[in-house]
Amino acid sequence: MRTDELLNIVQTVLDERKGQYITTIDVRGKTSFTDYMVIATGTSDRHVRSLCEYVSEKVKECGFRPLGIEGDQGADWVLLDLGDVIVHVMTAQAREFYQLEKLWSVDRAKEVV
């Protein structure tokens, strides 16, 4: 599955399942472990878990196997690793605290030779 197709599935499922404030960050050139991070807010711990479960099920239906999921046991932040796309779903409080958009949106400092 191509990265843009995977990204589209993730964004669509999060939107359909009432994920809030869905943000996609292109991190190519900033890190080597993924191309995109998708960040969304869930309304409760249960909603956060459910959103990642829905995304995982949908990509499996499309023939793609997720690499892993972290934080799914009563957590306010669940990470779903899809390789080229990493999905972070958080409660509003966790998202405000960690501020991943701010962290990953900073441009890399230019090297001085």
Side-chain angles (χ1 to χ4, degrees), residues 9-92:
I9 290 169
V10 168
Q11 293 167 330
T12 300
V13 171
L14 290 173
D15 185 51
E16 288 174 351
R17 296 298 180 160
K18 309 297 185 217
Q20 299 175 342
Y21 311 110
I22 302 164
T23 303
T24 301
I25 303 172
D26 183 344
V27 293
R28 294 175 291 181
K30 294 180 183 180
T31 184
S32 61
F33 62 84
T34 194
D35 290 341
Y36 295 96
M37 289 190 186
V38 178
I39 305 168
T41 300
T43 58
S44 66
D45 292 352
R46 179 176 286 180
H47 189 219
V48 166
R49 261 191 331 274
S50 295
L51 287 169
C52 281
E53 288 170 5
Y54 287 127
V55 171
S56 180
E57 289 301 315
K58 186 63 175 181
V59 298
K60 284 178 187 176
E61 288 173 13
C62 295
F64 186 84
R65 186 173 178 94
L67 299 175
I69 190 166
E70 297 291 331
D72 60 343
Q73 299 298 322
D76 58 354
W77 179 0
V78 178
L79 180 146
L80 178 61
D81 186 352
L82 302 172
D84 291 338
V85 178
I86 293 183
V87 182
H88 298 273
V89 183
M90 309 172 170
T91 60

